[in-house]
Structures are given as C-alpha cells and as structure tokens.
Amino acid sequence: MAAALCGCQLRADDIHSSPSVLPVTTVSVTSPTTVILPDSLALTPVPDLPQVPDTLRRAIRRLHAALGPAAADLRPTVLEQACVGYLTLHPTGRIERAGLLAVADMDLPNTAKRLWVLDLRKARVLHHSLVAHGEGSGQLRATRFSNQEKSACTSLGFYRTAGTYDGIHGYSRRIEGLDKGQNSNAFDRYVVLHAADYASPKYIEQHGHLGYSRGCPALPPEQFKEIIATVRVGSMLLISGPGLASRWLDGQAAGRRFLARGWE
C-alpha cells in the first residue's frame, strides 16, 4: 500500500559506514594571533534578501529578539527567508495556517537543534529540535541537495504540510514541495516528517552525530508527535540551506502583505 512507503528509510549499512565519532577538528595556527578553522565547519553566509522594506526588516528583527534564547541559533537571515516566504505564500492560498511557520537551517551541523516551529503572532518558539538530513546530502553538515528520485538527498525550499498516515516509521506527515526544480518531487519521493532513532540526542551521545535519512527531515522520537500535530495540514515549512532559490522570496510582495495584514 502506497502509504506504507517512505523515501527516508535508513539502511543498516548507513550506520556502520558512518564514523562513530565526530571528525577531529584540526586547527591550524599560522601566527600567535591567526587561527584558521577548516572550511567544513564554516557556515555559508546568507545574504539579506533584496527589496525587503525597512518596516518588515525591523519587524523581523523584533520578532527574532522576542523569540528569546530558544532562537539564539536561528540566524536572522534564515528567519528573514522564512518570514518573507510565509508572507508571500499565504495570500496565494497555498498556505492555510496563519501565523505559524516551521524552519530548518540545514547548513547547521546535524548535532545542532536546527528545526524551529514558530508562532509569529505571539512571538513564541513552540518547538525546537534536532532534524536529520538525507544521506546523499553529506555527513555532519548537508552540502548537497537534490530534487531527484533515488538521490537520498534533502531538498531545499518551501513546503506545505499535508495529511498524516501510519507507515513503516509510524505516525508521519506528508509534505508538498512548492518550489519547482528544487523540491517539487518531494511528495512522490515520500519525503515526510517522521520519527527516527537516529535523529535523537541518544544517537549523538553514542556516535557523535545523527544518522541519515533517505531525504526526509526525520525527527527525534521524543518530540515528533507534538511537532507533527502542531504543523497541521496547510502549515508552512522552509528547509533552508546553501543554494536556496525560490520565487517565494519576494521582498516587495512580502512587504505589501505585512503592511496590510501583519502576520495574519
């Protein structure tokens, strides 16, 4: 039965082929005052989006500050992407849930809690958790992204949450990609939100990193039910990372919507 399938089934050899501890960080000191870190640990800069009105940009900064310590690692530029996409998408009817968005910054290492579910109207972090990326996207950090079948990669872009089902990973929620060429095959690939033992803090304690999905944003068993229940049908999810490009990152359209309706 189709609903029993999933694009993110972890193979047994994925675990055994992965290093059991984090890569050793080598620091090269060229002078008493110069320290060069390896490129693999340097996050990719996210530029400010063009044509975002100052009014909206200030509102996003206020939102970030109000979210408090739980959002300390949510980069302001990634939050800006999520907010602009939400404001652009919501009036199109593709997103039905007002005032709620989820954002995953897949440029952060998989040992970091890099998924946030936000209540925009109350400026609250509803959930903050680990999330796994696809084995085809890299190891500690995701560096490759694909929309292709059998790539086992994470796909960047904006998503609409769809219905739930019970599959091989138990309670799961399907998601629909809204960016042609970047994540439009996600639904057919059965890229879904689901629980996985390899996406847990315990797994990090044992192995030094998370395990890998077949492309799904897999969630910790301790949190998945609450997260899946919160992002009901019609909610927005952004999976951000290097190379993200989307028609929904429209600063002017987002500014007009914010002036007219705020976060509604």
Side-chain angles (χ1 to χ4, degrees):
M1 189 169 63
L5 300 176
C6 180
C8 23
Q9 189 174 1
L10 186 72
R11 300 184 309 224
D13 60 354
D14 291 337
I15 296 174
H16 297 303
S17 65
S18 300
S20 60
V21 294
L22 280 170
V24 175
T25 301
T26 302
V27 178
S28 174
V29 180
T30 58
S31 75
T33 58
T34 304
V35 178
I36 301 174
L37 294 175
D39 290 341
S40 61
L41 298 181
L43 296 182
T44 306
V46 180
D48 290 335
L49 296 175
Q51 299 182 313
V52 177
D54 288 341
T55 301
L56 175 56
R57 190 155 276 155
R58 287 194 298 268
I60 294 171
R61 289 172 184 159
R62 289 194 299 271
L63 170 67
H64 189 270
L67 291 171
D73 293 332
L74 175 53
R75 292 186 283 174
T77 46
V78 173
L79 178 60
E80 180 179 85
Q81 290 177 335
C83 290
V84 167
Y86 163 81
L87 290 165
T88 306
L89 273 164
H90 189 231
T92 70
R94 292 172 174 85
I95 300 299
E96 295 93 27
R97 289 288 309 282
L100 185 136
L101 66 82
V103 54
D105 184 355
M106 290 299 191
D107 197 37
L108 293 172
N110 66 13
T111 51
K113 289 185 176 182
R114 53 185 179 168
L115 173 70
W116 294 263
V117 181
L118 308 177
D119 182 328
L120 297 177
R121 291 177 289 196
K122 296 183 179 179
R124 292 175 52 207
V125 177
L126 302 178
H127 303 286
H128 183 205
S129 82
L130 297 165
V131 60
H133 58 252
E135 64 169 330
S137 288
Q139 295 189 13
L140 183 63
R141 287 183 57 223
T143 57
R144 298 179 299 279
F145 305 92
S146 176
N147 192 37
Q148 298 302 310
E149 295 277 354
K150 300 182 180 180
S151 66
C153 284
T154 293
S155 298
L156 300 179
F158 289 94
Y159 294 81
R160 174 190 181 272
T161 60
T164 58
Y165 69 99
D166 287 317
I168 61 173
H169 295 286
Y171 181 49
S172 306
R173 185 176 292 284
R174 301 199 70 181
I175 55 177
E176 303 168 347
L178 302 176
D179 282 296
K180 186 176 181 181
Q182 285 213 101
N183 64 8
S184 51
N185 291 330
F187 196 82
D188 292 337
R189 290 174 62 200
Y190 262 87
V191 171
V192 304
L193 295 170
H194 69 79
D197 291 340
Y198 58 79
S200 68
K202 184 177 179 180
Y203 193 95
I204 294 176
E205 291 175 7
Q206 294 174 340
H207 301 275
H209 58 86
L210 292 187
Y212 310 103
S213 71
R214 297 290 295 169
C216 295
L219 302 170
E222 303 84 358
Q223 294 178 271
F224 83 103
K225 286 184 179 178
E226 291 79 8
I227 293 173
I228 287 175
T230 300
V231 292
R232 318 196 284 272
V233 174
S235 300
M236 193 201 84
L237 165 67
L238 167 64
I239 296 182
S240 179
L244 173 67
S246 173
R247 61 179 288 200
W248 310 114
L249 294 174
D250 186 332
Q252 288 185 323
R256 290 192 297 269
R257 174 67 177 189
F258 186 75
L259 286 175
R261 298 286 299 274
W263 298 119
E264 296 295 327

